[in-house]
Amino acid sequence: MIICPSIAPGSMAEAKKQLVEYASGYPLLEIRLDTIRDLDVRGLLGSVRPPVIATCRHAREGGSFRGPVSRQASILSDARKSGAEYIDVEYRMGRTLIEKFIKDEKRVILSYHNFDRTPHNLEDLYRKMRRYKPDIIKIAVTAREISDTLKVLSLLKLAKSERQKIIALCMGEPGEVSRIIGGKFGCFLSFAAGSPERCTGPGQIPLRVMMDVYRADRIDSHTKIFGLLGNPVRQSKGFYYHNTIFRRKGKNAVYCNFLIDNLTSFFRSFGTLLTGGSVTMPLKESIIPFLDHVETNARDISSVNTIVRRHGRWYGCNTDYLALVRILRRQTRLKGKRALILGTGAMARTMTHAILSDNGHPVIMGRSLSKSRLLAERFQCEYLPPGVYADIDVDIVVNATPVGMIGYPQIPLLPPGFYRKNMIVLDVVNRQDLTPFLSAARDRGCRIITGHELFLEQAKLQSKIFLSVCPS
């Protein structure tokens, strides 16, 4: 699959500069003529440049062009006469113009965009567009949920079987994966943002990430697909780690983010396409019924964060648990130590089980007293009402809540006077910088463990599991 940078310059000077920057190393570059204020098509395409797709996107198709269709058609015609390797002709332009372009210009990309949804009749749309016999068909729709992506991938497989060149993708975060793995199903090319600050389509991925991290241009029918399953997933940087390991080990595999609203829909859509994955909130417990075998520790805490498919069967385990035990053992002996666990969710269960496994004494404190009581009864340990800090004597404090994640309220989790020197304070929130919780602990002389440290430790364990199901 070709990875095609897409640029939307604001002026002729900017456009010429960018054409020179991309003049070598790329088989195709999309240039959005509709965004250039002082457009001179011939002057632009006559300069030093790579092979280009000339696009003049109308506002009704998500672009900047607001003039009459006749003027839009004239710009595209000038682009082809000036040597553009491809021109993008919108399906909405109508039969007369489409037939004229395809007859006169040849190398036409006939495009359709839907910024609202993924239509149910994609195959019918594809058939209607194919009757014009364009060189390439482009269908870009909006995914409302991950299962919409499967409709696009199925369309790619159909076009491949009919030897029709096609660009098909889902816009928006739920459809991001379609931009990455399209080559596995026969997609001709995928667009990438020439600049991280200026995407030309919703959900477009920066060029360097597409090329260097996902290696999307090398994905083929044999590529194994892994990913992060959760909601939200945008903040996660796990795809950098796992794709780097795949590259270093020479594995034909890719790791992507999957934004999931409905697990049943996801497994129906991707159950046979996915080889393995990481599981994050809020799915660590709800994924268990979809698995054929769950490792004992993961079942004990009702929390799975790693899944792989072997011989058609799904296996689940919890590397958070093992990683936490390893990290804490490096800091202290857990036997006899008291640990305050803030939270009552999947990570809190994992932390509680880990402390107990080394004969420590967890104390649960969540926002909900009833949930704290239930968790404490499950593990036969202490619990406290929220905000009751007087006379709590603990050696370890763990934040197992989302507080500290970008987008969550940054509220203080503990009063300043609670911390004491050399207390071990761990935050499960994975950030490159310190969370406010950890900053407060560090300032008072505590020994801190970041969520990023925990992530790296569990990712190493996960990676070994993923590599075990990747062929050499």
Side-chain angles (χ1 to χ4, degrees):
M1 178 172 70
I2 295 170
I3 304 303
C4 177
S6 180
I7 61 173
S11 66
M12 281 289 290
E14 183 183 350
K16 287 184 176 181
K17 179 181 178 182
Q18 291 187 358
L19 285 179
V20 171
E21 290 174 358
Y22 290 98
S24 62
Y26 297 97
L28 275 174
L29 170 75
E30 181 187 47
I31 183 164
R32 290 281 298 273
L33 303 178
D34 52 294
T35 64
I36 303 175
R37 295 182 299 273
D38 50 344
L39 178 64
D40 172 7
V41 176
R42 294 180 182 179
L44 177 65
L45 297 183
S47 61
V48 176
R49 62 175 179 80
V52 299
I53 299 171
T55 299
C56 184
R57 186 75 64 225
H58 199 281
R60 281 175 286 186
E61 292 280 307
S64 302
F65 184 81
R66 297 183 180 277
V69 174
S70 58
R71 174 58 183 154
Q72 183 185 13
S74 176
I75 291 172
L76 291 173
S77 183
D78 284 347
R80 188 66 186 94
K81 291 174 183 176
S82 299
E85 282 67 26
Y86 289 95
I87 56 171
D88 183 308
V89 177
E90 296 165 358
Y91 185 56
R92 57 164 290 281
M93 293 180 76
R95 178 177 178 177
T96 301
L97 282 174
I98 293 171
E99 289 182 341
K100 182 179 186 304
F101 273 119
I102 291 175
K103 177 183 177 182
D104 296 343
E105 312 291 358
K106 302 303 179 185
R107 307 193 78 178
V108 166
I109 298 174
L110 184 59
S111 66
Y112 167 88
H113 299 80
N114 189 316
F115 291 89
D116 180 54
R117 61 189 175 88
T118 299
H120 294 294
N121 61 336
L122 280 185
E123 184 176 338
D124 290 342
L125 173 65
Y126 161 78
R127 295 286 181 209
K128 291 176 182 177
M129 295 175 74
R130 195 170 186 233
R131 289 181 192 139
Y132 289 108
K133 299 182 179 180
D135 191 49
I136 301 171
I137 292 173
K138 177 189 175 186
I139 296 178
V141 294
T142 299
R144 292 185 172 180
E145 59 180 37
I146 195 71
S147 60
D148 286 335
T149 302
L150 188 66
K151 299 173 186 175
V152 165
L153 300 182
S154 297
L155 185 64
L156 287 172
K157 289 191 285 187
L158 171 63
K160 183 179 181 181
S161 70
E162 297 181 346
R163 298 187 177 183
Q164 169 65 57
K165 289 182 182 178
I166 188 170
I167 304 163
L169 56 90
C170 282
M171 298 179 285
E173 188 181 359
E176 182 181 87
V177 66
S178 69
R179 296 179 178 273
I180 301 165
I181 66 172
K184 182 177 177 70
F185 304 93
C187 192
F188 176 70
L189 68 76
S190 184
F191 297 97
S195 166
E197 299 80 27
R198 196 167 186 179
C199 298
T200 62
Q204 207 170 75
I205 300 167
L207 176 63
R208 295 271 48 97
V209 175
M210 284 286 277
M211 297 292 287
D212 299 340
V213 180
Y214 292 120
R215 298 179 295 160
D217 59 324
R218 301 182 185 183
I219 290 175
D220 59 28
S221 59
H222 302 291
T223 302
K224 299 293 184 182
I225 300 173
F226 295 80
L228 175 66
L229 284 55
N231 190 344
V233 294
R234 181 165 292 282
Q235 293 183 39
S236 172
K237 304 301 180 185
F239 65 91
Y240 285 103
Y241 180 89
H242 291 293
N243 284 312
T244 297
I245 298 299
F246 288 147
R247 184 180 70 247
R248 287 178 181 172
K249 297 293 184 179
K251 300 296 185 180
N252 186 5
V254 65
Y255 183 102
C256 315
N257 287 344
F258 292 90
L259 180 67
I260 298 175
D261 291 316
N262 185 304
L263 265 177
T264 300
S265 177
F266 174 78
F267 272 94
R268 285 176 180 169
S269 302
F270 280 88
T272 59
L273 299 179
L274 201 69
T275 298
S278 314
V279 185
T280 189
M281 66 178 196
L283 307 177
K284 292 184 177 184
E285 183 174 8
S286 57
I287 200 169
I288 291 175
F290 295 88
L291 308 177
D292 301 294
H293 175 79
V294 177
E295 179 265 340
T296 301
N297 282 318
R299 190 169 292 282
D300 287 345
I301 57 180
S302 301
S303 178
V304 166
N305 82 323
T306 306
I307 60 172
V308 290
R309 187 162 55 93
R310 292 189 178 99
H311 310 296
R313 293 172 62 82
W314 280 105
Y315 294 78
C317 65
N318 191 301
T319 60
D320 284 332
Y321 163 77
L322 295 172
L324 179 68
V325 170
R326 289 185 179 185
I327 285 177
L328 288 176
R329 283 177 180 172
R330 291 173 195 154
Q331 294 281 348
T332 186
R333 288 188 62 193
L334 291 175
K335 184 177 181 180
K337 299 292 196 304
R338 296 187 79 215
L340 178 63
I341 311 295
L342 302 174
T344 57
M347 283 303 292
R349 292 195 301 272
T350 302
M351 301 295 171
T352 302
H353 186 59
I355 300 294
L356 285 169
S357 68
D358 267 15
N359 298 308
H361 302 292
V363 180
I364 309 299
M365 182 185 287
R367 287 183 302 174
S368 166
L369 182 60
S370 60
K371 289 183 178 180
S372 297
R373 183 188 300 114
L374 285 173
L375 183 56
E377 289 174 351
R378 175 173 180 171
F379 290 100
Q380 297 183 328
C381 64
E382 296 179 65
Y383 72 96
L384 290 170
V388 179
Y389 303 112
D391 301 323
I392 302 177
D393 183 19
V394 295
D395 307 286
I396 302 167
V397 181
V398 176
N399 172 35
T401 77
V403 175
M405 289 181 64
I406 304 299
Y408 276 80
Q410 303 300 306
I411 57 175
L413 287 167
L414 294 170
F418 183 83
Y419 303 97
R420 72 170 190 270
K421 191 173 182 179
N422 290 325
M423 177 185 282
I424 297 171
V425 180
L426 185 152
D427 197 337
V428 303
V429 174
N430 181 13
R431 282 172 49 172
Q432 295 289 341
D433 59 338
L434 291 184
T435 61
F437 174 67
L438 288 182
S439 291
R442 181 194 58 183
D443 292 345
R444 288 160 181 82
C446 298
R447 293 149 61 192
I448 63 172
I449 302 171
T450 69
H452 190 61
E453 291 177 66
L454 179 60
F455 162 75
L456 289 176
E457 191 69 33
Q458 71 82 24
K460 291 175 187 176
L461 296 166
Q462 259 186 359
S463 183
K464 291 180 181 178
I465 297 170
F466 292 162
L467 294 173
S468 73
V469 291
C470 282
S472 298

